Amino acid sequence: MEGDSFSGAMANGGGGGQVVDGKLIQTFHKSFVQVQSLLDQNRMLISEINQNHESRAPDNLTRNVGLIRELNNNIHRVVGLYADLSASFARTMDASSEGDSSGTLIRSSAAGHKRVRPA
């Protein structure tokens, strides 16, 4: 397949591996966009928390309690997204390497070919 796809032993068009098309890439892209959004939000929260802390105004310090909770929740969500991505990638690699004891070939239009050894 042209573009970003994963295939098991599909070098030069041969082999009997399973091809995982753009669905996996779309899932990864969506998750990474969500992670980046949360990280951007966290950057703004941290900036506001720092400003409130430096001001030492009682109302601002009280507001920091809620901001720190929100920051903590965002971090928890990022960890969950990365855990889901890791599990999804592992399942995909397991499925694509079934029947191929020599490893899995990752094809990318930009990176050429790279062999990844199964764990």
Side-chain angles (χ1 to χ4, degrees), residues 2 9 13 20 39 47 54 76 85 88 94 97 113 115 118:
E2 188 64 29
V20 179
L39 294 176
S47 176
E54 289 172 1
H76 181 72
L85 275 170
S88 177
D94 287 344
S97 66
H113 298 278
R115 183 161 299 280

Side-chain angles (χ1 to χ4, degrees), residues 40-114:
D40 291 342
Q41 185 178 1
N42 286 355
R43 186 179 306 113
M44 292 187 302
L45 286 170
I46 291 168
S47 176
E48 185 175 349
I49 289 166
N50 286 336
Q51 289 173 0
N52 289 344
H53 181 73
E54 289 172 1
S55 77
R56 299 201 186 274
D59 288 344
N60 289 347
L61 295 175
T62 301
R63 176 163 165 67
N64 272 0
V65 173
L67 294 175
I68 291 168
R69 282 191 183 123
E70 185 177 352
L71 179 64
N72 188 44
N73 288 337
N74 285 354
I75 291 168
H76 181 72
R77 289 173 56 198
V78 167
V79 168
L81 286 166
Y82 277 130
D84 292 346
L85 275 170
S86 177
S88 177
F89 184 76
R91 280 191 308 271
T92 300
M93 291 295 98
D94 287 344
S96 67
S97 66
E98 287 179 5
D100 178 19
S101 62
S102 64
T104 301
L105 184 66
I106 298 178
R107 292 178 57 185
S108 173
S109 58
H113 298 278
K114 181 177 178 182

Side-chain angles (χ1 to χ4, degrees), residues 17-38:
Q18 174 186 5
V19 175
V20 179
D21 58 13
K23 184 177 180 184
L24 175 67
I25 302 301
Q26 287 175 335
T27 300
F28 281 4
H29 178 72
K30 179 182 174 188
S31 294
F32 285 127
V33 167
Q34 289 174 326
V35 165
Q36 188 60 52
S37 174
L38 288 167

